[in-house]
Amino acid sequence: MLGASFLPARFRSDHGHVAPSNPGYFHRHITSVLQTVARQAFTHPIHTIVFVALLASTSYIGVLEGTLFDPSSSTGNTSQATDLSSLVDGARQLKVGEATGWKWQAGKTERDFVEI
């Protein structure tokens, strides 16, 4: 009987087989939606990577500009909307310090920064 102790408890028990419970309403619908999304992502991996990259970069810019969680932006105030042209402009360097008056300055090279 020594070998029986190495088996998991579900195989050692003497009770009858218990049928698993049926999935609930939300479980059935969420699972089908997730399976559909996964199937699309598997079928078109490049589109999925591009979509996730665009979503991440626009979210990151929104967080940096403070418009993602700003309640005034949902009321139609478009003056603080995310500027997508900053994505097209390319890489930039940010500088802040006593020389800049503790204000953020953006530039493409070190010469673009204004010394105060």
Side-chain angles (χ1 to χ4, degrees), residues 11-101:
F11 296 123
R12 285 186 276 139
S13 64
D14 290 335
H15 58 45
H17 178 69
V18 178
S21 63
N22 292 332
Y25 174 78
F26 290 112
H27 179 72
R28 284 192 310 266
H29 291 287
I30 290 174
T31 302
S32 65
V33 168
L34 288 177
Q35 285 177 340
T36 303
V37 169
R39 188 178 305 116
Q40 289 295 322
F42 179 74
T43 307
H44 307 289
I46 300 300
H47 296 147
T48 304
I49 291 170
V50 169
F51 176 75
V52 169
L54 285 174
L55 182 66
S57 63
T58 54
S59 298
Y60 182 68
I61 289 173
V63 168
L64 286 180
E65 291 183 356
T67 58
L68 190 61
F69 299 110
D70 188 14
S72 65
S73 64
S74 64
T75 59
N77 185 4
T78 59
S79 64
Q80 295 180 348
T82 303
D83 183 22
L84 295 179
S85 65
S86 62
L87 287 174
V88 178
D89 289 342
R92 294 185 190 164
Q93 296 178 357
L94 293 175
K95 185 175 182 181
V96 67
E98 193 172 337
T100 62

